[in-house]
Coordinates of all heavy atoms in Angstrom, one line a residue:
M1 N 120.2 103.8 153.3 CA 120.0 102.5 152.4 C 121.3 102.1 151.8 O 122.0 103.0 151.2 CB 119.0 102.8 151.3 CG 118.7 101.5 150.4 SD 117.4 101.8 149.2 CE 118.2 102.8 148.1
N2 N 121.6 100.9 152.0 CA 122.9 100.3 151.4 C 122.5 99.7 150.1 O 121.3 99.2 149.8 CB 123.4 99.1 152.3 CG 124.6 98.6 151.8 OD1 124.6 97.7 150.9 ND2 125.7 98.9 152.4
E3 N 123.4 99.7 149.2 CA 123.2 99.3 147.8 C 122.8 97.8 147.7 O 122.1 97.4 146.8 CB 124.5 99.5 146.9 CG 124.6 101.0 146.6 CD 125.8 101.1 145.7 OE1 126.6 100.2 145.5 OE2 125.9 102.2 145.0
K4 N 123.1 97.0 148.8 CA 122.8 95.5 148.7 C 121.5 95.3 149.5 O 121.1 94.1 149.6 CB 123.9 94.7 149.3 CG 125.1 94.9 148.4 CD 126.3 93.9 149.0 CE 127.5 94.1 148.1 NZ 128.6 93.3 148.6
D5 N 120.9 96.3 150.1 CA 119.7 96.0 150.9 C 118.6 95.5 149.9 O 118.5 95.9 148.7 CB 119.2 97.3 151.5 CG 119.9 97.8 152.7 OD1 120.9 97.0 153.2 OD2 119.9 98.9 153.1
E6 N 117.8 94.5 150.5 CA 116.7 94.0 149.7 C 115.5 95.0 149.8 O 115.2 95.4 150.9 CB 116.4 92.6 150.4 CG 117.5 91.6 150.1 CD 117.0 90.3 150.8 OE1 117.0 90.3 152.1 OE2 116.9 89.3 150.0
I7 N 114.8 95.1 148.7 CA 113.6 96.0 148.7 C 112.4 95.1 148.4 O 112.4 94.2 147.4 CB 113.8 97.0 147.6 CG1 115.1 97.8 147.7 CG2 112.6 98.0 147.5 CD1 115.5 98.7 146.6
F8 N 111.3 95.3 149.2 CA 110.1 94.5 149.0 C 108.8 95.3 148.9 O 108.8 96.4 149.5 CB 109.9 93.7 150.3 CG 111.0 92.6 150.5 CD1 112.1 93.0 151.3 CD2 111.0 91.4 149.8 CE1 113.1 92.0 151.5 CE2 112.1 90.5 149.9 CZ 113.1 90.8 150.9
I9 N 108.0 94.9 148.0 CA 106.7 95.6 147.9 C 105.8 95.3 149.2 O 105.8 94.1 149.6 CB 105.9 95.1 146.6 CG1 106.8 95.2 145.3 CG2 104.6 95.8 146.4 CD1 107.2 96.5 145.0
S10 N 105.2 96.3 149.6 CA 104.4 96.2 150.8 C 103.1 95.3 150.5 O 102.6 95.4 149.4 CB 103.9 97.6 151.4 OG 102.9 97.4 152.4
E11 N 102.7 94.7 151.6 CA 101.4 93.8 151.4 C 100.1 94.7 151.1 O 99.2 94.2 150.7 CB 101.2 92.9 152.5 CG 102.3 91.8 152.6 CD 102.0 91.0 153.9 OE1 101.1 91.1 154.5 OE2 103.0 90.0 154.1
R12 N 100.2 95.9 151.4 CA 99.1 96.8 151.3 C 99.0 97.4 149.9 O 98.2 98.2 149.6 CB 99.2 98.0 152.3 CG 100.3 98.9 152.1 CD 100.7 99.8 153.3 NE 99.8 101.0 153.2 CZ 99.7 101.7 154.2 NH1 100.2 101.6 155.4 NH2 98.9 102.8 154.1
V13 N 99.8 96.9 149.0 CA 99.9 97.5 147.6 C 99.4 96.5 146.6 O 99.7 95.3 146.7 CB 101.4 97.8 147.3 CG1 101.6 98.1 145.9 CG2 101.8 99.1 148.1
A14 N 98.7 97.0 145.7 CA 98.3 96.3 144.4 C 98.8 97.2 143.3 O 98.8 98.3 143.4 CB 96.8 96.1 144.4
W15 N 99.3 96.5 142.3 CA 99.8 97.2 141.2 C 99.6 96.4 139.9 O 99.3 95.3 139.9 CB 101.3 97.5 141.4 CG 102.1 96.4 141.2 CD1 102.5 95.4 142.2 CD2 102.9 95.9 140.0 NE1 103.3 94.4 141.7 CE2 103.5 94.7 140.5 CE3 103.0 96.4 138.8 CZ2 104.4 93.9 139.4 CZ3 103.8 95.7 137.8 CH2 104.4 94.5 138.3
Q16 N 99.6 97.3 138.8 CA 99.4 96.7 137.5 C 100.2 97.5 136.5 O 100.2 98.8 136.5 CB 97.9 96.8 137.1 CG 97.6 96.2 135.8 CD 96.0 96.1 135.4 OE1 95.3 96.4 136.4 NE2 95.7 95.7 134.3
E17 N 100.8 96.8 135.5 CA 101.4 97.5 134.4 C 100.5 97.6 133.2 O 99.9 96.6 132.9 CB 102.7 96.6 134.0 CG 103.5 97.3 132.9 CD 104.7 96.4 132.6 OE1 104.9 95.3 133.0 OE2 105.5 97.1 131.9
E18 N 100.4 98.8 132.6 CA 99.7 99.0 131.5 C 100.7 99.3 130.3 O 101.3 100.3 130.2 CB 98.9 100.4 131.7 CG 97.7 100.5 130.7 CD 98.2 100.8 129.3 OE1 99.1 101.7 129.2 OE2 97.7 100.2 128.3
Q19 N 100.8 98.3 129.6 CA 102.0 98.3 128.5 C 101.7 99.1 127.4 O 102.6 99.6 126.8 CB 102.2 96.7 128.1 CG 102.8 95.9 129.3 CD 103.0 94.5 128.9 OE1 102.7 94.1 127.8 NE2 103.6 93.8 129.8
T20 N 100.5 99.3 127.0 CA 100.2 100.2 125.8 C 100.7 101.6 125.9 O 101.4 102.1 125.0 CB 98.6 100.2 125.5 OG1 98.2 98.9 125.4 CG2 98.4 100.9 124.2
L21 N 100.4 102.1 127.1 CA 100.8 103.6 127.3 C 102.1 103.6 128.1 O 102.9 104.6 128.3 CB 99.8 104.4 128.0 CG 98.5 104.5 127.3 CD1 97.4 105.1 128.1 CD2 98.7 105.3 126.0
G22 N 102.6 102.5 128.7 CA 103.8 102.4 129.4 C 103.7 102.9 130.8 O 104.7 103.5 131.3
Y23 N 102.6 102.8 131.5 CA 102.5 103.3 132.9 C 102.5 102.0 133.8 O 102.0 101.0 133.4 CB 101.2 104.0 133.1 CG 101.0 105.1 132.3 CD1 99.9 105.4 131.5 CD2 102.0 106.3 132.4 CE1 99.7 106.6 130.8 CE2 101.8 107.4 131.7 CZ 100.7 107.6 130.9 OH 100.6 108.7 130.2
V24 N 102.7 102.3 135.1 CA 102.4 101.3 136.1 C 101.6 102.1 137.1 O 101.9 103.2 137.5 CB 103.8 100.9 136.9 CG1 103.4 100.2 138.1 CG2 104.5 99.9 135.9
Y25 N 100.5 101.4 137.5 CA 99.6 102.0 138.4 C 99.8 101.2 139.7 O 99.7 100.0 139.8 CB 98.1 101.7 138.0 CG 97.8 102.5 136.8 CD1 97.9 101.9 135.5 CD2 97.6 103.9 136.8 CE1 97.6 102.7 134.3 CE2 97.3 104.6 135.6 CZ 97.4 103.9 134.5 OH 97.1 104.7 133.3
V26 N 100.0 101.9 140.9 CA 100.2 101.4 142.2 C 99.2 101.9 143.0 O 99.0 103.1 143.2 CB 101.6 101.9 142.7 CG1 101.9 101.3 144.1 CG2 102.8 101.4 141.8
L27 N 98.4 101.0 143.7 CA 97.4 101.3 144.6 C 97.7 101.0 146.1 O 98.1 99.8 146.3 CB 96.1 100.6 144.1 CG 94.9 100.7 145.1 CD1 94.4 102.2 145.2 CD2 93.7 99.7 144.7
D28 N 97.6 102.0 146.9 CA 97.7 101.7 148.3 C 96.3 101.4 148.8 O 95.5 102.2 148.8 CB 98.2 103.0 149.1 CG 98.4 102.7 150.6 OD1 97.6 101.9 151.1 OD2 99.2 103.3 151.2
V29 N 96.1 100.1 149.0 CA 94.7 99.6 149.2 C 94.2 100.1 150.7 O 92.9 100.1 150.8 CB 94.5 98.0 149.1 CG1 94.7 97.7 147.7 CG2 95.5 97.4 150.0
E30 N 95.0 100.4 151.6 CA 94.6 100.8 152.9 C 94.3 102.3 152.9 O 93.3 102.7 153.5 CB 95.7 100.6 154.0 CG 95.9 99.2 154.3 CD 96.9 98.9 155.4 OE1 97.3 99.9 156.1 OE2 97.3 97.8 155.6
K31 N 94.9 103.1 152.1 CA 94.7 104.6 152.1 C 93.8 105.0 150.9 O 93.4 106.0 150.7 CB 96.0 105.3 151.8 CG 96.8 105.2 153.2 CD 98.1 106.0 153.0 CE 99.0 105.9 154.3 NZ 100.3 106.7 154.0
N32 N 93.6 103.9 150.0 CA 92.7 104.1 148.7 C 93.4 105.3 148.0 O 92.7 106.1 147.4 CB 91.4 104.3 149.1 CG 90.5 104.1 147.9 OD1 90.8 103.2 147.1 ND2 89.2 104.6 147.8
V33 N 94.7 105.3 147.8 CA 95.4 106.2 147.0 C 96.2 105.5 145.8 O 96.8 104.4 146.2 CB 96.4 107.0 147.9 CG1 97.2 108.0 147.1 CG2 95.7 107.8 148.9
Y34 N 96.2 106.0 144.6 CA 96.9 105.4 143.7 C 97.9 106.4 143.1 O 97.8 107.5 143.0 CB 96.0 104.8 142.5 CG 95.6 105.6 141.4 CD1 96.3 105.7 140.2 CD2 94.5 106.6 141.5 CE1 96.0 106.5 139.2 CE2 94.0 107.3 140.5 CZ 94.9 107.3 139.3 OH 94.5 108.1 138.3
Y35 N 99.0 105.8 142.5 CA 100.0 106.5 141.8 C 100.2 106.0 140.4 O 100.1 104.8 140.1 CB 101.3 106.3 142.6 CG 101.2 106.8 144.1 CD1 100.8 105.7 145.0 CD2 101.4 108.0 144.5 CE1 100.6 106.1 146.3 CE2 101.2 108.3 145.8 CZ 100.9 107.4 146.7 OH 100.7 107.7 148.1
K36 N 100.5 106.8 139.5 CA 100.8 106.5 138.2 C 102.2 106.7 137.9 O 102.7 107.9 137.9 CB 99.9 107.2 137.1 CG 100.2 106.9 135.7 CD 99.2 107.6 134.7 CE 99.3 109.0 134.6 NZ 98.6 109.6 133.6
L37 N 103.0 105.7 137.6 CA 104.5 105.8 137.4 C 104.8 105.7 135.8 O 104.2 104.7 135.2 CB 105.2 104.7 138.1 CG 104.9 104.6 139.6 CD1 105.6 103.4 140.2 CD2 105.2 105.9 140.3
Q38 N 105.6 106.4 135.4 CA 106.0 106.3 134.0 C 107.6 106.5 133.9 O 108.2 107.0 134.9 CB 105.2 107.3 133.1 CG 105.5 108.8 133.5 CD 104.5 109.7 132.7 OE1 103.5 109.3 132.5 NE2 105.0 110.9 132.4
D39 N 108.1 106.3 132.7 CA 109.4 106.5 132.4 C 110.4 105.8 133.4 O 110.3 104.6 133.7 CB 109.8 108.0 132.3 CG 109.0 108.7 131.2 OD1 108.6 108.1 130.2 OD2 108.5 109.9 131.5
I40 N 111.4 106.5 134.0 CA 112.3 105.9 134.9 C 111.7 105.4 136.2 O 112.1 104.3 136.7 CB 113.6 106.8 135.1 CG1 114.3 107.0 133.8 CG2 114.5 106.2 136.1 CD1 115.5 107.9 133.8
A41 N 110.6 106.1 136.7 CA 110.2 105.7 137.8 C 109.4 104.3 137.6 O 109.3 103.5 138.5 CB 109.0 106.7 138.3
R42 N 108.8 104.2 136.5 CA 108.3 102.9 136.1 C 109.3 101.8 136.1 O 109.1 100.8 136.6 CB 107.4 103.0 134.7 CG 107.0 101.8 134.1 CD 106.5 102.0 132.7 NE 106.3 100.8 132.0 CZ 107.2 100.0 131.4 NH1 108.5 100.4 131.4 NH2 106.9 98.9 130.9
E43 N 110.4 102.0 135.6 CA 111.5 101.1 135.4 C 112.0 100.7 136.8 O 112.2 99.5 137.0 CB 112.5 101.6 134.5 CG 112.1 101.7 133.1 CD 113.3 101.8 132.2 OE1 114.3 101.3 132.4 OE2 113.2 102.7 131.2
I44 N 112.1 101.7 137.7 CA 112.6 101.4 139.0 C 111.6 100.5 139.7 O 112.0 99.5 140.4 CB 112.8 102.7 139.8 CG1 114.0 103.5 139.3 CG2 113.1 102.4 141.3 CD1 114.0 104.9 139.9
W45 N 110.3 100.8 139.6 CA 109.3 100.0 140.2 C 109.4 98.5 139.7 O 109.2 97.6 140.6 CB 107.8 100.5 139.9 CG 106.8 99.7 140.7 CD1 106.1 98.7 140.1 CD2 106.3 99.8 142.0 NE1 105.2 98.1 141.0 CE2 105.5 98.8 142.3 CE3 106.8 100.6 143.1 CZ2 104.8 98.6 143.4 CZ3 106.1 100.4 144.3 CH2 105.1 99.4 144.5
L46 N 109.4 98.4 138.4 CA 109.5 97.0 137.9 C 110.8 96.2 138.4 O 110.6 95.0 138.5 CB 109.4 97.1 136.4 CG 108.0 97.6 135.7 CD1 108.1 97.8 134.2 CD2 106.9 96.7 136.2
E47 N 111.9 96.9 138.5 CA 113.1 96.3 138.9 C 113.0 95.8 140.5 O 113.3 94.9 140.8 CB 114.3 97.3 138.8 CG 114.8 97.5 137.4 CD 115.2 96.3 136.6 OE1 116.1 95.5 137.2 OE2 114.6 96.0 135.5
I48 N 112.2 96.7 141.2 CA 111.9 96.4 142.6 C 111.1 95.1 142.6 O 111.4 94.1 143.4 CB 111.2 97.5 143.3 CG1 112.2 98.6 143.6 CG2 110.7 97.0 144.7 CD1 111.6 99.9 144.0
C49 N 110.1 95.0 141.7 CA 109.2 93.8 141.7 C 110.0 92.6 141.2 O 109.7 91.5 141.6 CB 108.0 94.1 140.7 SG 107.0 95.3 141.3
D50 N 111.1 92.9 140.5 CA 111.9 91.7 140.1 C 113.0 91.3 141.1 O 113.9 90.7 140.9 CB 112.6 92.0 138.7 CG 111.7 91.8 137.5 OD1 110.7 91.2 137.7 OD2 112.0 92.4 136.5
K51 N 112.8 91.9 142.3 CA 113.7 91.7 143.5 C 115.2 92.1 143.2 O 116.1 91.6 143.7 CB 113.6 90.2 143.8 CG 112.1 89.7 144.1 CD 112.2 88.4 144.8 CE 110.8 88.0 145.2 NZ 109.8 88.7 145.5
K52 N 115.3 93.2 142.6 CA 116.6 93.8 142.3 C 116.9 94.8 143.5 O 116.1 95.5 144.0 CB 116.6 94.7 141.0 CG 116.4 93.7 139.8 CD 117.4 92.8 139.4 CE 117.4 92.2 138.2 NZ 116.2 91.4 137.7
N53 N 118.2 94.9 143.9 CA 118.7 95.8 144.9 C 119.0 97.2 144.2 O 118.9 97.3 143.0 CB 119.7 95.3 145.8 CG 121.1 95.0 144.9 OD1 121.4 95.6 144.0 ND2 121.7 93.9 145.3
S54 N 119.4 98.1 145.1 CA 119.6 99.5 144.5 C 120.7 99.5 143.5 O 120.7 100.1 142.5 CB 119.8 100.4 145.7 OG 120.2 101.7 145.3
A55 N 121.8 98.7 143.9 CA 123.0 98.7 142.9 C 122.6 98.2 141.6 O 122.9 98.7 140.5 CB 124.1 97.9 143.5
Q56 N 121.7 97.2 141.5 CA 121.3 96.5 140.2 C 120.4 97.5 139.6 O 120.5 97.6 138.3 CB 120.6 95.2 140.5 CG 121.6 94.1 141.1 CD 120.8 93.0 141.6 OE1 119.7 93.0 142.3 NE2 121.2 91.7 141.3
I57 N 119.5 98.1 140.3 CA 118.6 99.1 139.6 C 119.5 100.2 139.0 O 119.2 100.6 137.8 CB 117.6 99.6 140.6 CG1 116.6 98.5 141.1 CG2 116.8 100.8 140.0 CD1 115.8 98.9 142.3
C58 N 120.3 100.8 139.7 CA 121.2 101.9 139.1 C 122.0 101.5 138.0 O 122.1 102.3 137.0 CB 122.0 102.4 140.3 SG 121.2 103.3 141.7
G59 N 122.6 100.3 138.1 CA 123.3 99.9 136.9 C 122.5 99.7 135.6 O 123.0 100.1 134.6
K60 N 121.3 99.2 135.8 CA 120.4 99.1 134.6 C 120.1 100.4 134.1 O 120.2 100.7 132.8 CB 119.2 98.3 135.0 CG 118.3 98.1 133.8 CD 117.3 97.2 134.0 CE 116.4 97.0 132.6 NZ 115.3 96.2 132.9
I61 N 119.8 101.5 134.9 CA 119.4 102.8 134.4 C 120.6 103.5 133.7 O 120.4 104.1 132.7 CB 118.8 103.5 135.6 CG1 117.5 102.9 135.9 CG2 118.6 105.0 135.2 CD1 116.8 103.5 137.0
I62 N 121.7 103.3 134.4 CA 122.9 103.9 133.8 C 123.2 103.4 132.6 O 123.6 104.1 131.5 CB 124.2 103.8 134.8 CG1 123.9 104.6 136.1 CG2 125.6 104.2 134.1 CD1 124.8 104.2 137.2
E63 N 123.2 102.1 132.4 CA 123.5 101.4 131.1 C 122.4 101.8 130.0 O 122.9 102.1 128.9 CB 123.5 99.9 131.3 CG 123.9 99.2 130.0 CD 123.9 97.6 130.2 OE1 124.4 97.3 131.4 OE2 123.4 97.0 129.4
K64 N 121.2 101.8 130.4 CA 120.1 102.0 129.4 C 120.1 103.5 128.9 O 120.0 103.7 127.7 CB 118.8 101.6 129.9 CG 117.6 101.7 128.9 CD 116.5 101.3 129.5 CE 115.3 101.3 128.5 NZ 114.0 100.7 129.0
Y65 N 120.3 104.4 129.8 CA 120.2 105.8 129.5 C 121.5 106.6 129.3 O 121.4 107.8 129.1 CB 119.2 106.5 130.5 CG 117.8 106.0 130.4 CD1 117.3 105.1 131.4 CD2 117.0 106.4 129.4 CE1 116.1 104.6 131.3 CE2 115.7 106.0 129.5 CZ 115.2 105.0 130.4 OH 114.0 104.5 130.3
N66 N 122.7 105.9 129.7 CA 123.9 106.5 129.6 C 123.9 107.7 130.5 O 124.4 108.9 129.9 CB 124.3 106.9 128.2 CG 125.7 107.1 128.0 OD1 126.6 106.7 128.7 ND2 126.2 108.1 127.1
L67 N 123.5 107.7 131.6 CA 123.5 108.8 132.7 C 124.7 108.8 133.7 O 125.3 107.7 133.8 CB 122.1 108.7 133.4 CG 120.9 108.9 132.5 CD1 119.5 108.7 133.5 CD2 120.8 110.4 131.9
D68 N 124.9 109.8 134.3 CA 125.9 110.0 135.3 C 125.6 109.1 136.5 O 124.5 109.1 137.0 CB 126.0 111.4 135.8 CG 126.9 111.6 136.9 OD1 128.2 111.5 136.7 OD2 126.4 111.9 137.9
E69 N 126.6 108.3 136.9 CA 126.3 107.3 138.0 C 126.0 108.0 139.3 O 125.0 107.6 140.1 CB 127.7 106.5 138.3 CG 127.6 105.6 139.3 CD 128.8 104.7 139.5 OE1 129.8 104.9 138.7 OE2 128.9 103.9 140.5
D70 N 126.6 109.1 139.7 CA 126.3 109.8 140.9 C 124.9 110.4 141.0 O 124.1 110.2 141.9 CB 127.3 111.0 141.3 CG 128.6 110.4 141.6 OD1 128.8 109.3 142.1 OD2 129.7 111.2 141.3
T71 N 124.4 110.9 139.8 CA 123.1 111.4 139.7 C 122.1 110.3 139.7 O 121.0 110.4 140.5 CB 122.9 112.2 138.3 OG1 123.9 113.3 138.3 CG2 121.6 112.7 138.1
V72 N 122.3 109.3 139.1 CA 121.5 108.1 139.1 C 121.2 107.6 140.5 O 120.2 107.3 141.1 CB 121.8 106.9 138.2 CG1 121.0 105.7 138.4 CG2 121.6 107.5 136.7
K73 N 122.4 107.3 141.3 CA 122.3 106.8 142.6 C 121.6 107.7 143.6 O 120.7 107.2 144.3 CB 123.7 106.6 143.1 CG 124.5 105.4 142.6 CD 125.9 105.3 143.2 CE 126.6 104.0 142.8 NZ 127.9 104.0 143.2
T74 N 121.8 109.1 143.4 CA 121.0 110.0 144.2 C 119.5 109.9 143.9 O 118.7 109.9 144.8 CB 121.6 111.5 144.0 OG1 123.0 111.4 144.4 CG2 120.9 112.5 144.8
D75 N 119.2 109.9 142.6 CA 117.8 110.0 142.3 C 117.1 108.7 142.6 O 116.0 108.6 143.1 CB 117.6 110.2 140.7 CG 117.9 111.6 140.4 OD1 118.2 112.4 141.3 OD2 118.2 111.9 139.1
V76 N 117.7 107.5 142.4 CA 117.1 106.2 142.8 C 116.9 106.2 144.2 O 115.8 105.8 144.7 CB 117.9 105.1 142.1 CG1 117.5 103.8 142.8 CG2 117.9 104.9 140.7
S77 N 118.0 106.6 145.0 CA 117.8 106.6 146.5 C 116.7 107.5 146.9 O 115.9 107.0 147.8 CB 119.1 106.9 147.0 OG 119.0 106.9 148.4
S78 N 116.5 108.6 146.3 CA 115.5 109.5 146.7 C 114.2 108.9 146.4 O 113.1 109.0 147.2 CB 115.7 110.9 146.0 OG 114.6 111.8 146.3
F79 N 114.0 108.3 145.3 CA 112.7 107.7 144.8 C 112.4 106.5 145.8 O 111.2 106.4 146.2 CB 112.8 107.3 143.4 CG 111.5 106.7 142.9 CD1 110.5 107.5 142.5 CD2 111.4 105.4 142.6 CE1 109.2 107.0 142.2 CE2 110.2 104.8 142.1 CZ 109.2 105.7 141.9
V80 N 113.4 105.7 146.0 CA 113.1 104.6 146.9 C 112.6 105.0 148.3 O 111.7 104.5 148.9 CB 114.4 103.7 147.0 CG1 114.2 102.6 148.1 CG2 114.4 103.0 145.5
Q81 N 113.4 106.0 148.9 CA 112.9 106.5 150.2 C 111.6 107.1 150.2 O 110.8 107.0 151.1 CB 114.0 107.6 150.6 CG 115.4 106.9 151.0 CD 115.3 105.9 152.0 OE1 114.6 106.0 152.9 NE2 116.1 104.8 151.8
N82 N 111.2 107.7 149.0 CA 109.8 108.3 149.0 C 108.8 107.3 149.0 O 107.8 107.4 149.6 CB 109.7 109.1 147.7 CG 108.5 110.0 147.6 OD1 107.8 110.4 148.6 ND2 108.1 110.3 146.3
L83 N 109.2 106.2 148.4 CA 108.2 104.9 148.3 C 108.1 104.3 149.7 O 107.0 103.8 150.2 CB 108.7 104.0 147.4 CG 108.6 104.2 145.9 CD1 109.2 103.1 145.0 CD2 107.2 104.4 145.4
V84 N 109.3 104.4 150.4 CA 109.2 103.8 151.8 C 108.4 104.7 152.7 O 107.5 104.3 153.6 CB 110.6 103.6 152.4 CG1 110.7 103.5 153.9 CG2 111.5 102.7 151.7
L85 N 108.6 106.1 152.6 CA 107.7 107.0 153.3 C 106.3 107.0 153.1 O 105.4 107.2 154.0 CB 108.3 108.3 153.1 CG 109.6 108.8 153.6 CD1 109.9 110.2 153.2 CD2 109.7 108.7 155.2
K86 N 105.9 106.5 151.8 CA 104.4 106.2 151.5 C 104.1 104.8 151.9 O 102.9 104.5 151.7 CB 104.3 106.5 150.1 CG 104.4 107.9 149.6 CD 104.3 108.2 148.2 CE 104.6 109.5 147.7 NZ 103.9 110.6 148.2
D87 N 104.9 104.1 152.5 CA 104.6 102.7 152.9 C 104.3 101.8 151.7 O 103.5 100.8 151.9 CB 103.4 102.6 154.0 CG 103.8 103.3 155.3 OD1 104.9 103.1 155.7 OD2 102.9 104.0 155.9
L88 N 104.7 102.1 150.6 CA 104.6 101.2 149.4 C 105.5 100.2 149.4 O 105.2 99.0 148.7 CB 104.5 102.0 148.2 CG 103.5 103.3 148.1 CD1 103.7 104.1 146.8 CD2 102.2 102.7 148.2
I89 N 106.7 100.4 149.8 CA 107.8 99.4 149.9 C 108.4 99.3 151.3 O 108.2 100.3 152.1 CB 108.8 99.5 148.9 CG1 109.6 100.9 149.1 CG2 108.3 99.5 147.4 CD1 110.8 101.1 148.2
Y90 N 109.3 98.3 151.6 CA 110.1 98.4 152.8 C 111.4 97.8 152.4 O 111.5 97.0 151.4 CB 109.4 97.7 153.9 CG 109.1 96.1 153.7 CD1 110.1 95.2 154.1 CD2 107.9 95.6 153.1 CE1 109.8 93.9 154.0 CE2 107.7 94.3 152.9 CZ 108.5 93.5 153.4 OH 108.3 92.1 153.2
I91 N 112.4 98.1 153.2 CA 113.8 97.7 153.0 C 114.2 96.7 154.1 O 114.1 97.1 155.3 CB 114.7 98.8 152.8 CG1 114.2 99.7 151.7 CG2 116.1 98.5 152.7 CD1 114.9 101.1 151.5
K92 N 114.9 95.6 153.7 CA 115.4 94.8 154.7 C 117.0 94.9 154.5 O 117.6 94.6 153.4 CB 115.0 93.3 154.4 CG 115.5 92.3 155.4 CD 115.0 91.0 155.1 CE 115.6 89.9 156.0 NZ 115.2 88.6 155.8
S93 N 117.6 95.2 155.6 CA 119.1 95.6 155.5 C 119.9 94.2 155.1 O 119.7 93.3 155.8 CB 119.6 96.1 156.9 OG 121.0 96.4 156.8
F94 N 120.7 94.5 154.3 CA 121.7 93.4 153.9 C 122.5 93.0 155.1 O 122.9 91.9 155.3 CB 122.7 93.9 152.8 CG 123.7 92.9 152.3 CD1 123.5 91.8 151.5 CD2 125.1 93.1 152.8 CE1 124.4 91.0 151.3 CE2 126.0 92.2 152.4 CZ 125.7 91.2 151.6
Y95 N 122.8 93.9 156.0 CA 123.7 93.7 157.0 C 123.0 93.1 158.4 O 123.6 92.7 159.3 CB 124.5 95.0 157.5 CG 125.4 95.4 156.4 CD1 125.0 96.5 155.7 CD2 126.5 94.7 156.1 CE1 126.0 96.8 154.5 CE2 127.5 95.0 155.1 CZ 127.1 96.2 154.3 OH 127.9 96.6 153.3
A96 N 121.7 93.1 158.3 CA 120.9 92.5 159.4 C 120.7 91.0 159.4 O 120.1 90.4 160.2 CB 119.5 93.2 159.4
K97 N 121.2 90.3 158.4 CA 121.1 88.9 158.2 C 122.0 88.2 159.2 O 122.9 88.6 159.6 CB 121.5 88.6 156.8 CG 120.5 89.0 155.8 CD 120.9 88.6 154.4 CE 119.8 89.1 153.5 NZ 120.1 88.7 152.0

């Protein structure tokens, strides 16, 4: 995944933010499986929903939590790839345009 690649929510997904407890619930409507995201995973999901790319997501997390850039890039990439493997999101390559 390139930092400028566009990330999109799959059409098979319904999600809702629960603001009181700070969770995001993500439902794969085809598999009838749901995921509860919290903390940084929640923030990554919300940034994806706001059409942010990987570089923008990493920048926000680094700034907000004062974390190491390499660690954040690795962790965000791993989380995003996990979402892709679960068919919850898909990536459109920046270079395929």
